[in-house]
């Protein structure tokens, strides 16, 4: 689709849609997808530097003119007065904003941002009589496998006795706020994506995998988790919001893959050396403890902890059967998508 000045009108009635987290990987791609489909969109941002990342992403897709169709409001999900302004005349909300960190020193702000921030969004949705809310959670907030289970689904029970990262706990708590809103009359959709792959954010999320491999990452593990392209995530979110489906959660993964295979594919796509040295559980334990010590000494910010170390070895499989039964999406092949992302590096 070429750039254009006027937006295509899908119907006489055009919703005003609010997007939080519009300066992140999912939010920025969501904004582009919504505008391409003629939606009227408002997005909140905290700084000009963050907003420039979204603008750059529009240029990456060769659609810079569409960026001007976003109505930006400087606001914060923890700042009630600014949210009051952001929610004016809104009918639907996509809540993508979240803080991702594995630094134990940031436990309080992670939980405050992800749980209290979501509670604020839910409260405004209820007060403003929002038609429908879509919340972007994570597979980290799904349940824990029991001894007799082989794959995690939307109904797998969360075991509070198990070890979870602060991030996982915060997303689980945020989901509880969304379900509270549902019990009070708000129509909601929760999506739980796996590791989201996409271009434009080399220093965030999965972008750090590409950056690390390009810089010469040497180690890999044999754990397994779910992966999905950001394009699939935003397309599914929008389809669910336009459907009659509500008060449901969906695991969004295209493929369950071994970390070693993902890292090898990234290395091959970037035309750099593969990380061929196996990092044993003992080695990753030493690594996260050293990382934590350096954080305590304020030498560097922690990027690794016991939960992520354990996850790197866990052979966890996630089921996407539910979203297939509802929408039957055609998922982008992960290997092909990695090749495409690599062109941005």
């Amino acid at each position: 689709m070429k750039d254009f000045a006027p937006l295509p009108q899908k119907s006489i009635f055009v919703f005003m849609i609010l997007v939080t987290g519009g300066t992140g990987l999912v939010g920025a791609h969501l904004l582009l997808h919504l505008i391409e489909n003629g939606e009227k969109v408002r997005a909140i941002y905290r700084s000009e530097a963050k907003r420039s990342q979204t603008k750059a992403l529009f240029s990456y897709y060769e659609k810079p003119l569409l960026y001007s169709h976003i109505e930006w409001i400087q606001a914060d999900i923890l700042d009630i007065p600014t949210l009051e302004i952001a929610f004016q005349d809104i009918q639907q909300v996509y809540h993508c904003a979240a803080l991702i960190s594995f630094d134990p020193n940031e436990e309080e702000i992670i939980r405050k941002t992800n749980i209290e921030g979501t509670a604020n969004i839910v409260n405004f949705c209820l007060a403003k009589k929002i038609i429908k809310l879509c919340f972007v959670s994570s597979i980290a907030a799904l349940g824990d496998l029991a001894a007799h289970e082989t794959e995690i689904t939307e109904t797998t029970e969360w075991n509070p006795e198990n070890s979870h990262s602060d991030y996982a706990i915060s997303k689980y708590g945020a989901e509880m706020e969304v379900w509270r809103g549902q019990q009070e009359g708000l129509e909601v959709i929760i999506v739980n994506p796996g590791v989201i792959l996409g271009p434009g954010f080399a220093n965030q999320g999965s972008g750090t995998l590409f950056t690390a491999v390009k810089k010469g990452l040497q180690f890999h593990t044999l754990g397994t988790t779910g992966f999905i392209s950001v394009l699939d995530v935003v397309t599914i979110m929008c389809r669910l919001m336009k459907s009659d489906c509500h008060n449901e959660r969906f695991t969004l993964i295209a493929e369950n893959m071994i970390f070693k295979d993902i890292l090898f594919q990234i290395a091959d796509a970037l035309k750099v050396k593969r990380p061929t040295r196996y990092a044993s559980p003992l080695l990753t334990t030493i690594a996260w403890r050293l990382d934590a010590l350096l954080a305590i000494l304020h030498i560097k910010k922690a990027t690794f902890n016991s939960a992520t170390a354990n996850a790197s070895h866990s052979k966890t499989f996630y089921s996407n059967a539910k979203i297939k039964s509802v929408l039957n999406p055609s998922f982008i092949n992960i290997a092909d998508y990695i090749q495409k992302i690599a062109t941005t590096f």
Side-chain angles (χ1 to χ4, degrees), residues 107-116 166 169-170:
E107 175 185 356
E108 183 177 349
I109 188 60
I110 292 170
R111 299 196 185 196
K112 184 177 180 66
T113 300
N114 295 347
I115 300 176
E116 183 181 323
D166 292 327
I169 293 170
S170 73

Side-chain angles (χ1 to χ4, degrees), residues 48 88 108 135 139 147 154 163 213 303 305:
E48 287 297 333
Q88 293 299 316
E108 183 177 349
F135 172 58
I139 55 171
E154 292 81 359
S163 175
V213 171
T303 57
N305 60 25

Side-chain angles (χ1 to χ4, degrees), residues 55-84:
K55 187 174 184 178
L57 187 78
F58 276 57
S59 295
Y60 165 78
Y61 285 106
E62 299 180 350
K63 301 180 188 295
L65 297 181
L66 297 187
Y67 178 81
S68 64
H69 291 293
I70 304 170
E71 180 186 328
W72 289 99
I73 297 288
Q74 191 164 16
D76 190 303
I77 61 174
L78 294 176
D79 186 345
I80 301 300
T82 58
L83 286 180
E84 180 68 44

Side-chain angles (χ1 to χ4, degrees), residues 21-32 47-61 67 72 96 100 196-212 230-231 234 337 341-342 344-345:
T23 56
L25 176 64
V26 174
H29 279 85
L30 175 62
L31 288 172
L32 178 57
S47 69
E48 287 297 333
K50 291 287 188 180
R51 193 160 59 151
S52 66
Q53 294 180 121
T54 302
K55 187 174 184 178
L57 187 78
F58 276 57
S59 295
Y60 165 78
Y61 285 106
Y67 178 81
W72 289 99
C96 308
I100 303 175
I196 304 173
L197 301 173
F201 294 82
N203 298 314
Q204 298 178 26
S206 65
T208 60
L209 294 178
F210 287 80
T211 300
V230 68
L231 301 180
V234 300
Y337 197 55
I341 296 171
T344 67
F345 283 75

Side-chain angles (χ1 to χ4, degrees), residues 271-313:
K271 296 180 173 56
V272 298
K273 185 179 178 180
R274 290 178 170 184
T276 54
R277 300 178 65 184
Y278 172 62
S280 67
L282 175 60
L283 186 59
T284 52
T285 297
I286 294 172
W288 80 256
R289 291 183 183 279
L290 177 61
D291 196 57
L293 176 61
L294 294 175
I296 291 172
L297 297 175
H298 302 290
I299 296 175
K300 64 181 289 292
K301 183 177 178 179
T303 57
F304 202 49
N305 60 25
S306 61
T308 52
N310 291 335
S312 70
H313 295 284

Side-chain angles (χ1 to χ4, degrees), residues 4-135:
F4 48 87
L7 287 172
Q9 298 299 315
K10 294 296 182 181
S11 67
I12 297 175
F13 304 101
V14 180
F15 284 164
M16 172 64 91
I17 298 171
L18 176 66
V19 175
T20 74
T23 56
L25 176 64
V26 174
H29 279 85
L30 175 62
L31 288 172
L32 178 57
H33 182 85
L34 290 170
I35 292 170
E36 283 183 309
N37 286 275
E39 304 289 359
K40 191 175 180 182
V41 181
R42 179 181 298 157
I44 65 175
Y45 74 101
R46 289 190 297 167
S47 69
E48 287 297 333
K50 291 287 188 180
R51 193 160 59 151
S52 66
Q53 294 180 121
T54 302
K55 187 174 184 178
L57 187 78
F58 276 57
S59 295
Y60 165 78
Y61 285 106
E62 299 180 350
K63 301 180 188 295
L65 297 181
L66 297 187
Y67 178 81
S68 64
H69 291 293
I70 304 170
E71 180 186 328
W72 289 99
I73 297 288
Q74 191 164 16
D76 190 303
I77 61 174
L78 294 176
D79 186 345
I80 301 300
T82 58
L83 286 180
E84 180 68 44
I85 298 171
F87 266 84
Q88 293 299 316
D89 303 316
I90 294 296
Q91 285 81 43
Q92 286 189 345
V93 175
Y94 289 85
H95 180 33
C96 308
L99 176 60
I100 303 175
S101 173
F102 300 100
D103 188 339
N105 295 321
E106 295 185 335
E107 175 185 356
E108 183 177 349
I109 188 60
I110 292 170
R111 299 196 185 196
K112 184 177 180 66
T113 300
N114 295 347
I115 300 176
E116 183 181 323
T118 301
N120 290 340
I121 295 298
V122 169
N123 291 340
F124 269 100
C125 285
L126 291 167
K128 301 296 184 180
K129 301 188 185 306
I130 298 302
I131 296 172
K132 202 171 185 180
L133 165 69
C134 179
F135 172 58

